[in-house]
Short mmCIF file of all heavy atoms in Angstrom, two decimals:
data_model
loop_
_atom_site.label_atom_id
_atom_site.label_comp_id
_atom_site.label_asym_id
_atom_site.label_seq_id
_atom_site.Cartn_x
_atom_site.Cartn_y
_atom_site.Cartn_z
N MET C 27 149.50 154.77 -33.63
CA MET C 27 150.95 154.92 -33.51
C MET C 27 151.56 153.68 -32.86
O MET C 27 150.96 153.07 -31.98
CB MET C 27 151.25 156.14 -32.63
CG MET C 27 152.41 156.96 -33.18
SD MET C 27 152.89 158.27 -32.10
CE MET C 27 152.05 159.64 -32.84
N LYS C 28 152.74 153.32 -33.32
CA LYS C 28 153.40 152.14 -32.76
C LYS C 28 154.28 152.52 -31.58
O LYS C 28 154.74 153.65 -31.47
CB LYS C 28 154.27 151.48 -33.85
CG LYS C 28 153.44 150.85 -34.94
CD LYS C 28 154.26 149.73 -35.61
CE LYS C 28 153.39 148.94 -36.57
NZ LYS C 28 153.67 149.29 -37.98
N CYS C 29 154.52 151.52 -30.74
CA CYS C 29 155.37 151.75 -29.55
C CYS C 29 156.70 152.39 -29.92
O CYS C 29 157.16 153.28 -29.24
CB CYS C 29 155.60 150.43 -28.84
SG CYS C 29 154.14 149.80 -28.04
N LEU C 30 157.28 151.89 -31.01
CA LEU C 30 158.59 152.39 -31.39
C LEU C 30 158.55 153.88 -31.69
O LEU C 30 159.44 154.64 -31.27
CB LEU C 30 159.06 151.63 -32.63
CG LEU C 30 160.56 151.76 -32.94
CD1 LEU C 30 161.40 151.10 -31.86
CD2 LEU C 30 160.88 151.14 -34.30
N GLN C 31 157.52 154.29 -32.40
CA GLN C 31 157.37 155.73 -32.73
C GLN C 31 157.16 156.53 -31.46
O GLN C 31 157.71 157.62 -31.30
CB GLN C 31 156.15 155.92 -33.63
CG GLN C 31 156.36 155.51 -35.04
CD GLN C 31 155.04 155.64 -35.80
OE1 GLN C 31 154.15 154.81 -35.61
NE2 GLN C 31 154.91 156.68 -36.57
N VAL C 32 156.35 155.96 -30.58
CA VAL C 32 155.99 156.69 -29.36
C VAL C 32 157.24 156.90 -28.48
O VAL C 32 157.50 158.02 -28.03
CB VAL C 32 154.88 155.96 -28.60
CG1 VAL C 32 154.65 156.59 -27.24
CG2 VAL C 32 153.61 155.96 -29.40
N THR C 33 158.01 155.84 -28.29
CA THR C 33 159.17 155.97 -27.43
C THR C 33 160.19 156.92 -28.07
O THR C 33 160.84 157.69 -27.37
CB THR C 33 159.85 154.60 -27.17
OG1 THR C 33 160.03 153.94 -28.40
CG2 THR C 33 158.99 153.76 -26.25
N LYS C 34 160.27 156.90 -29.40
CA LYS C 34 161.16 157.81 -30.10
C LYS C 34 160.74 159.26 -29.84
O LYS C 34 161.56 160.12 -29.53
CB LYS C 34 161.08 157.51 -31.58
CG LYS C 34 162.36 157.76 -32.33
CD LYS C 34 162.25 157.13 -33.68
CE LYS C 34 163.16 157.70 -34.71
NZ LYS C 34 162.84 157.14 -36.06
N LEU C 35 159.46 159.51 -29.99
CA LEU C 35 158.95 160.87 -29.75
C LEU C 35 159.17 161.30 -28.32
O LEU C 35 159.48 162.46 -28.05
CB LEU C 35 157.47 160.95 -30.10
CG LEU C 35 157.14 161.04 -31.58
CD1 LEU C 35 155.63 161.02 -31.78
CD2 LEU C 35 157.73 162.29 -32.20
N ILE C 36 159.00 160.37 -27.40
CA ILE C 36 159.19 160.69 -25.99
C ILE C 36 160.64 161.13 -25.75
O ILE C 36 160.90 162.12 -25.08
CB ILE C 36 158.80 159.51 -25.07
CG1 ILE C 36 157.28 159.32 -25.11
CG2 ILE C 36 159.26 159.77 -23.63
CD1 ILE C 36 156.79 158.08 -24.40
N SER C 37 161.57 160.39 -26.33
CA SER C 37 162.99 160.79 -26.15
C SER C 37 163.26 162.11 -26.84
O SER C 37 164.02 162.93 -26.34
CB SER C 37 163.96 159.76 -26.71
OG SER C 37 163.39 158.51 -26.83
N GLN C 38 162.64 162.31 -28.01
CA GLN C 38 162.86 163.57 -28.72
C GLN C 38 162.28 164.75 -27.96
O GLN C 38 162.80 165.86 -28.04
CB GLN C 38 162.23 163.50 -30.09
CG GLN C 38 163.06 162.73 -31.07
CD GLN C 38 162.39 162.63 -32.43
OE1 GLN C 38 161.36 163.23 -32.67
NE2 GLN C 38 163.00 161.87 -33.33
N SER C 39 161.24 164.50 -27.23
CA SER C 39 160.57 165.59 -26.51
C SER C 39 161.48 166.17 -25.44
O SER C 39 161.21 167.24 -24.91
CB SER C 39 159.26 165.11 -25.89
OG SER C 39 159.52 164.31 -24.76
N GLN C 40 162.58 165.48 -25.13
CA GLN C 40 163.52 166.04 -24.16
C GLN C 40 164.36 167.13 -24.83
O GLN C 40 164.86 167.99 -24.17
CB GLN C 40 164.48 164.94 -23.66
CG GLN C 40 163.77 163.65 -23.37
CD GLN C 40 163.91 163.22 -21.94
OE1 GLN C 40 164.61 163.82 -21.15
NE2 GLN C 40 163.24 162.17 -21.59
N GLU C 41 164.50 167.02 -26.15
CA GLU C 41 165.35 167.98 -26.85
C GLU C 41 164.60 169.03 -27.61
O GLU C 41 165.12 170.09 -27.92
CB GLU C 41 166.29 167.23 -27.80
CG GLU C 41 167.39 166.49 -27.10
CD GLU C 41 167.58 165.09 -27.67
OE1 GLU C 41 167.43 164.94 -28.87
OE2 GLU C 41 167.84 164.17 -26.88
N ARG C 42 163.39 168.71 -28.01
CA ARG C 42 162.62 169.69 -28.77
C ARG C 42 161.16 169.62 -28.36
O ARG C 42 160.72 168.63 -27.78
CB ARG C 42 162.74 169.44 -30.27
CG ARG C 42 162.10 168.13 -30.69
CD ARG C 42 162.13 167.99 -32.18
NE ARG C 42 161.57 166.70 -32.62
CZ ARG C 42 160.30 166.54 -32.97
NH1 ARG C 42 159.47 167.56 -32.96
NH2 ARG C 42 159.86 165.37 -33.35
N LYS C 43 160.44 170.68 -28.71
CA LYS C 43 159.00 170.67 -28.43
C LYS C 43 158.30 169.83 -29.47
O LYS C 43 158.57 169.94 -30.65
CB LYS C 43 158.49 172.10 -28.50
CG LYS C 43 158.46 172.76 -27.14
CD LYS C 43 157.43 173.86 -27.13
CE LYS C 43 156.94 174.05 -25.73
NZ LYS C 43 156.62 175.40 -25.42
N LEU C 44 157.42 168.96 -29.03
CA LEU C 44 156.68 168.14 -29.99
C LEU C 44 155.57 168.96 -30.61
O LEU C 44 155.04 169.89 -29.99
CB LEU C 44 156.06 166.95 -29.26
CG LEU C 44 157.02 165.91 -28.68
CD1 LEU C 44 156.22 164.74 -28.13
CD2 LEU C 44 158.01 165.41 -29.69
N LYS C 45 155.26 168.61 -31.86
CA LYS C 45 154.11 169.25 -32.50
C LYS C 45 152.84 168.76 -31.81
O LYS C 45 152.83 167.68 -31.22
CB LYS C 45 154.06 168.88 -33.98
CG LYS C 45 155.11 169.55 -34.78
CD LYS C 45 154.98 169.15 -36.24
CE LYS C 45 156.31 169.30 -36.95
NZ LYS C 45 156.68 168.11 -37.72
N LEU C 46 151.81 169.54 -31.96
CA LEU C 46 150.55 169.20 -31.30
C LEU C 46 150.07 167.82 -31.72
O LEU C 46 149.67 167.01 -30.86
CB LEU C 46 149.49 170.25 -31.62
CG LEU C 46 148.24 170.14 -30.76
CD1 LEU C 46 148.58 170.40 -29.28
CD2 LEU C 46 147.20 171.15 -31.20
N ALA C 47 150.17 167.51 -33.00
CA ALA C 47 149.70 166.21 -33.50
C ALA C 47 150.53 165.07 -32.88
O ALA C 47 149.98 164.04 -32.52
CB ALA C 47 149.79 166.18 -35.03
N GLU C 48 151.82 165.31 -32.77
CA GLU C 48 152.70 164.30 -32.17
C GLU C 48 152.35 164.07 -30.72
O GLU C 48 152.26 162.95 -30.23
CB GLU C 48 154.17 164.72 -32.30
CG GLU C 48 154.67 164.74 -33.72
CD GLU C 48 156.04 165.38 -33.85
OE1 GLU C 48 156.39 166.30 -33.08
OE2 GLU C 48 156.78 164.94 -34.73
N LYS C 49 152.16 165.18 -30.03
CA LYS C 49 151.83 165.11 -28.63
C LYS C 49 150.52 164.33 -28.42
O LYS C 49 150.44 163.45 -27.54
CB LYS C 49 151.66 166.52 -28.08
CG LYS C 49 152.26 166.72 -26.70
CD LYS C 49 151.94 168.10 -26.22
CE LYS C 49 153.11 168.68 -25.46
NZ LYS C 49 152.91 170.09 -25.16
N CYS C 50 149.55 164.64 -29.25
CA CYS C 50 148.25 163.94 -29.17
C CYS C 50 148.43 162.45 -29.40
O CYS C 50 147.85 161.64 -28.69
CB CYS C 50 147.27 164.50 -30.18
SG CYS C 50 146.63 166.09 -29.73
N GLY C 51 149.25 162.12 -30.40
CA GLY C 51 149.48 160.72 -30.71
C GLY C 51 150.10 160.00 -29.51
O GLY C 51 149.71 158.89 -29.17
N VAL C 52 151.09 160.65 -28.93
CA VAL C 52 151.78 160.06 -27.79
C VAL C 52 150.81 159.86 -26.60
O VAL C 52 150.71 158.79 -26.03
CB VAL C 52 152.97 160.95 -27.34
CG1 VAL C 52 153.54 160.48 -26.01
CG2 VAL C 52 154.06 160.92 -28.41
N VAL C 53 150.10 160.92 -26.29
CA VAL C 53 149.21 160.87 -25.12
C VAL C 53 148.13 159.81 -25.29
O VAL C 53 147.89 159.00 -24.39
CB VAL C 53 148.57 162.24 -24.87
CG1 VAL C 53 147.46 162.13 -23.84
CG2 VAL C 53 149.63 163.23 -24.41
N SER C 54 147.56 159.74 -26.51
CA SER C 54 146.49 158.75 -26.70
C SER C 54 147.05 157.34 -26.70
O SER C 54 146.38 156.39 -26.32
CB SER C 54 145.69 159.04 -27.97
OG SER C 54 146.55 159.09 -29.05
N HIS C 55 148.30 157.21 -27.08
CA HIS C 55 148.94 155.89 -26.99
C HIS C 55 149.23 155.49 -25.54
O HIS C 55 149.07 154.35 -25.14
CB HIS C 55 150.22 155.85 -27.82
CG HIS C 55 150.90 154.52 -27.84
ND1 HIS C 55 150.61 153.54 -28.76
CD2 HIS C 55 151.84 153.98 -27.02
CE1 HIS C 55 151.35 152.46 -28.49
NE2 HIS C 55 152.11 152.71 -27.44
N LEU C 56 149.67 156.48 -24.76
CA LEU C 56 150.00 156.20 -23.38
C LEU C 56 148.79 155.68 -22.60
O LEU C 56 148.94 154.89 -21.67
CB LEU C 56 150.54 157.46 -22.71
CG LEU C 56 151.92 157.92 -23.14
CD1 LEU C 56 152.35 159.12 -22.34
CD2 LEU C 56 152.95 156.84 -23.04
N VAL C 57 147.62 156.14 -23.01
CA VAL C 57 146.39 155.73 -22.35
C VAL C 57 146.20 154.20 -22.48
O VAL C 57 145.75 153.54 -21.55
CB VAL C 57 145.15 156.48 -22.90
CG1 VAL C 57 143.88 155.94 -22.34
CG2 VAL C 57 145.30 157.95 -22.60
N ILE C 58 146.56 153.68 -23.66
CA ILE C 58 146.27 152.26 -23.90
C ILE C 58 147.49 151.36 -23.71
O ILE C 58 147.35 150.16 -23.71
CB ILE C 58 145.73 152.05 -25.34
CG1 ILE C 58 146.65 152.69 -26.37
CG2 ILE C 58 144.31 152.64 -25.47
CD1 ILE C 58 146.53 152.06 -27.74
N CYS C 59 148.66 151.93 -23.55
CA CYS C 59 149.87 151.08 -23.52
C CYS C 59 150.68 151.28 -22.23
O CYS C 59 151.37 152.27 -22.08
CB CYS C 59 150.74 151.40 -24.74
SG CYS C 59 152.20 150.38 -24.82
N PRO C 60 150.60 150.32 -21.34
CA PRO C 60 151.31 150.43 -20.06
C PRO C 60 152.83 150.45 -20.21
O PRO C 60 153.50 151.08 -19.43
CB PRO C 60 150.89 149.15 -19.28
CG PRO C 60 149.81 148.54 -20.08
CD PRO C 60 149.81 149.12 -21.45
N GLN C 61 153.33 149.78 -21.24
CA GLN C 61 154.77 149.74 -21.43
C GLN C 61 155.33 151.11 -21.75
O GLN C 61 156.32 151.54 -21.18
CB GLN C 61 155.13 148.79 -22.57
CG GLN C 61 155.14 147.36 -22.16
CD GLN C 61 154.93 146.45 -23.36
OE1 GLN C 61 153.91 146.53 -24.03
NE2 GLN C 61 155.92 145.64 -23.66
N CYS C 62 154.67 151.80 -22.65
CA CYS C 62 155.12 153.12 -23.02
C CYS C 62 154.89 154.12 -21.89
O CYS C 62 155.63 155.07 -21.71
CB CYS C 62 154.44 153.60 -24.29
SG CYS C 62 155.01 152.67 -25.71
N ARG C 63 153.86 153.86 -21.12
CA ARG C 63 153.57 154.71 -19.97
C ARG C 63 154.76 154.59 -19.01
O ARG C 63 155.26 155.57 -18.46
CB ARG C 63 152.31 154.21 -19.28
CG ARG C 63 151.51 155.35 -18.69
CD ARG C 63 150.03 155.07 -18.66
NE ARG C 63 149.73 153.77 -18.07
CZ ARG C 63 148.70 153.01 -18.39
NH1 ARG C 63 147.86 153.41 -19.31
NH2 ARG C 63 148.49 151.87 -17.81
N ASN C 64 155.20 153.39 -18.82
CA ASN C 64 156.34 153.11 -17.99
C ASN C 64 157.59 153.81 -18.51
O ASN C 64 158.32 154.47 -17.73
CB ASN C 64 156.55 151.60 -17.97
CG ASN C 64 157.15 151.12 -16.68
OD1 ASN C 64 157.25 151.91 -15.74
ND2 ASN C 64 157.51 149.88 -16.61
N PHE C 65 157.79 153.70 -19.80
CA PHE C 65 158.94 154.34 -20.43
C PHE C 65 158.89 155.86 -20.23
O PHE C 65 159.91 156.48 -19.88
CB PHE C 65 158.95 154.00 -21.93
CG PHE C 65 160.09 154.64 -22.68
CD1 PHE C 65 161.32 154.08 -22.67
CD2 PHE C 65 159.88 155.81 -23.39
CE1 PHE C 65 162.38 154.68 -23.37
CE2 PHE C 65 160.91 156.42 -24.07
CZ PHE C 65 162.16 155.85 -24.06
N ASN C 66 157.71 156.41 -20.44
CA ASN C 66 157.54 157.84 -20.27
C ASN C 66 157.86 158.29 -18.85
O ASN C 66 158.54 159.30 -18.62
CB ASN C 66 156.09 158.20 -20.62
CG ASN C 66 155.84 159.69 -20.57
OD1 ASN C 66 156.66 160.47 -21.04
ND2 ASN C 66 154.75 160.08 -19.97
N GLN C 67 157.41 157.50 -17.91
CA GLN C 67 157.65 157.80 -16.49
C GLN C 67 159.16 157.79 -16.22
O GLN C 67 159.69 158.71 -15.59
CB GLN C 67 156.98 156.73 -15.64
CG GLN C 67 156.82 157.17 -14.20
CD GLN C 67 155.36 157.29 -13.85
OE1 GLN C 67 154.59 156.36 -14.10
NE2 GLN C 67 154.95 158.39 -13.32
N ASN C 68 159.83 156.78 -16.70
CA ASN C 68 161.28 156.69 -16.50
C ASN C 68 161.99 157.88 -17.09
O ASN C 68 162.92 158.43 -16.49
CB ASN C 68 161.82 155.42 -17.16
CG ASN C 68 161.46 154.19 -16.37
OD1 ASN C 68 161.07 154.29 -15.23
ND2 ASN C 68 161.56 153.04 -16.98
N CYS C 69 161.57 158.28 -18.28
CA CYS C 69 162.17 159.43 -18.94
C CYS C 69 162.01 160.68 -18.11
O CYS C 69 162.92 161.50 -17.99
CB CYS C 69 161.53 159.66 -20.30
SG CYS C 69 162.33 158.71 -21.56
N GLN C 70 160.82 160.83 -17.55
CA GLN C 70 160.56 162.04 -16.78
C GLN C 70 161.37 162.04 -15.49
O GLN C 70 161.90 163.08 -15.10
CB GLN C 70 159.06 162.17 -16.48
CG GLN C 70 158.39 162.82 -17.64
CD GLN C 70 156.92 162.95 -17.49
OE1 GLN C 70 156.35 162.54 -16.47
NE2 GLN C 70 156.26 163.50 -18.49
N THR C 71 161.47 160.89 -14.86
CA THR C 71 162.27 160.79 -13.66
C THR C 71 163.72 161.15 -13.98
O THR C 71 164.35 161.94 -13.27
CB THR C 71 162.22 159.35 -13.09
OG1 THR C 71 160.87 158.97 -13.05
CG2 THR C 71 162.82 159.28 -11.71
N MET C 72 164.20 160.60 -15.11
CA MET C 72 165.57 160.87 -15.53
C MET C 72 165.77 162.34 -15.77
O MET C 72 166.76 162.93 -15.34
CB MET C 72 165.77 160.12 -16.86
CG MET C 72 167.20 159.96 -17.20
SD MET C 72 167.85 158.54 -16.39
CE MET C 72 167.76 157.36 -17.73
N ARG C 73 164.79 162.97 -16.43
CA ARG C 73 164.92 164.38 -16.75
C ARG C 73 164.97 165.24 -15.48
O ARG C 73 165.72 166.18 -15.37
CB ARG C 73 163.71 164.79 -17.61
CG ARG C 73 163.86 166.20 -18.09
CD ARG C 73 163.04 166.52 -19.31
NE ARG C 73 161.76 165.82 -19.37
CZ ARG C 73 160.84 166.08 -20.29
NH1 ARG C 73 161.07 166.99 -21.19
NH2 ARG C 73 159.70 165.44 -20.30
N GLN C 74 164.14 164.84 -14.53
CA GLN C 74 164.12 165.61 -13.27
C GLN C 74 165.46 165.47 -12.55
O GLN C 74 165.96 166.43 -11.98
CB GLN C 74 163.00 165.14 -12.37
CG GLN C 74 161.69 165.84 -12.71
CD GLN C 74 160.49 165.12 -12.15
OE1 GLN C 74 160.64 164.17 -11.38
NE2 GLN C 74 159.30 165.55 -12.54
N MET C 75 166.02 164.26 -12.62
CA MET C 75 167.31 164.05 -11.97
C MET C 75 168.41 164.90 -12.65
O MET C 75 169.22 165.51 -11.99
CB MET C 75 167.67 162.57 -12.03
CG MET C 75 167.24 161.85 -10.77
SD MET C 75 167.19 160.07 -10.94
CE MET C 75 168.81 159.70 -11.53
N MET C 76 168.33 164.91 -13.98
CA MET C 76 169.31 165.71 -14.74
C MET C 76 169.19 167.18 -14.37
O MET C 76 170.19 167.86 -14.20
CB MET C 76 169.01 165.59 -16.25
CG MET C 76 169.18 164.19 -16.77
SD MET C 76 170.90 163.69 -16.85
CE MET C 76 170.96 163.17 -18.55
N LYS C 77 167.98 167.65 -14.26
CA LYS C 77 167.73 169.04 -13.90
C LYS C 77 168.36 169.35 -12.56
O LYS C 77 168.98 170.37 -12.35
CB LYS C 77 166.22 169.28 -13.83
CG LYS C 77 165.73 170.28 -14.84
CD LYS C 77 164.33 170.67 -14.49
CE LYS C 77 163.50 170.98 -15.74
NZ LYS C 77 162.07 170.94 -15.45
N LYS C 78 168.15 168.42 -11.63
CA LYS C 78 168.65 168.60 -10.29
C LYS C 78 170.18 168.66 -10.31
O LYS C 78 170.77 169.54 -9.67
CB LYS C 78 168.19 167.42 -9.42
CG LYS C 78 167.94 167.81 -7.99
CD LYS C 78 167.39 166.65 -7.21
CE LYS C 78 167.90 166.72 -5.79
NZ LYS C 78 167.82 165.42 -5.14
N PHE C 79 170.80 167.78 -11.07
CA PHE C 79 172.26 167.78 -11.16
C PHE C 79 172.74 169.09 -11.77
O PHE C 79 173.72 169.68 -11.31
CB PHE C 79 172.73 166.60 -12.00
CG PHE C 79 172.68 165.31 -11.28
CD1 PHE C 79 172.20 164.17 -11.88
CD2 PHE C 79 173.17 165.22 -9.97
CE1 PHE C 79 172.13 162.97 -11.21
CE2 PHE C 79 173.11 164.00 -9.30
CZ PHE C 79 172.60 162.89 -9.91
N ALA C 80 172.03 169.52 -12.81
CA ALA C 80 172.45 170.74 -13.50
C ALA C 80 172.38 171.93 -12.57
O ALA C 80 173.21 172.84 -12.61
CB ALA C 80 171.55 170.97 -14.71
N LYS C 81 171.41 171.94 -11.72
CA LYS C 81 171.23 173.03 -10.78
C LYS C 81 172.35 173.04 -9.75
O LYS C 81 172.82 174.10 -9.32
CB LYS C 81 169.89 172.84 -10.06
CG LYS C 81 169.01 174.11 -10.14
CD LYS C 81 167.82 173.92 -9.24
CE LYS C 81 166.53 174.31 -9.98
NZ LYS C 81 165.34 173.88 -9.23
N GLU C 82 172.75 171.84 -9.32
CA GLU C 82 173.73 171.77 -8.25
C GLU C 82 175.13 172.15 -8.68
O GLU C 82 175.97 172.45 -7.86
CB GLU C 82 173.70 170.35 -7.64
CG GLU C 82 172.55 170.21 -6.63
CD GLU C 82 172.29 168.77 -6.28
OE1 GLU C 82 173.07 167.90 -6.67
OE2 GLU C 82 171.30 168.52 -5.62
N GLU C 83 175.35 172.09 -9.99
CA GLU C 83 176.71 172.39 -10.46
C GLU C 83 176.96 173.87 -10.64
O GLU C 83 176.08 174.62 -10.97
CB GLU C 83 176.94 171.67 -11.77
CG GLU C 83 177.44 170.27 -11.45
CD GLU C 83 177.93 169.51 -12.68
OE1 GLU C 83 177.96 170.10 -13.76
OE2 GLU C 83 178.20 168.32 -12.54
ZN1 LIG X 110 153.34 151.40 -26.55
#
């Protein structure tokens, strides 16, 4: 899987559940690619912040 596909799937995973195959592709890519790992981390931090904001409102 290419970085572009992986980052796309990561963003999509915020809105929908990924298929098992997609998830596997993403996870196995994250193991070898520090950049996408970084991107994934940022996305998760962002998501948690959003959740927190949503709760406070
Ligand atoms: Zn990558």
Side-chain angles (χ1 to χ4, degrees):
M27 221 187 262
K28 290 204 172 104
C29 290
L30 195 67
Q31 284 175 285
V32 172
T33 50
K34 213 166 157 188
L35 281 176
I36 290 173
S37 340
Q38 282 179 5
S39 76
Q40 318 240 355
E41 286 136 36
R42 68 174 176 94
K43 265 205 154 147
L44 295 185
K45 287 181 204 131
L46 192 62
E48 292 171 328
K49 221 184 218 172
C50 284
V52 169
V53 169
S54 55
H55 182 88
L56 290 183
V57 173
I58 53 156
C59 182
Q61 279 156 299
C62 290
R63 214 150 52 210
N64 211 7
F65 178 82
N66 184 44
Q67 197 115 50
N68 287 344
C69 273
Q70 275 178 0
T71 311
M72 198 84 99
R73 187 158 35 173
Q74 274 163 9
M75 266 163 54
M76 296 289 233
K77 243 192 213 162
K78 213 176 146 201
F79 284 135
K81 233 189 228 168
E82 278 166 9
E83 273 188 6

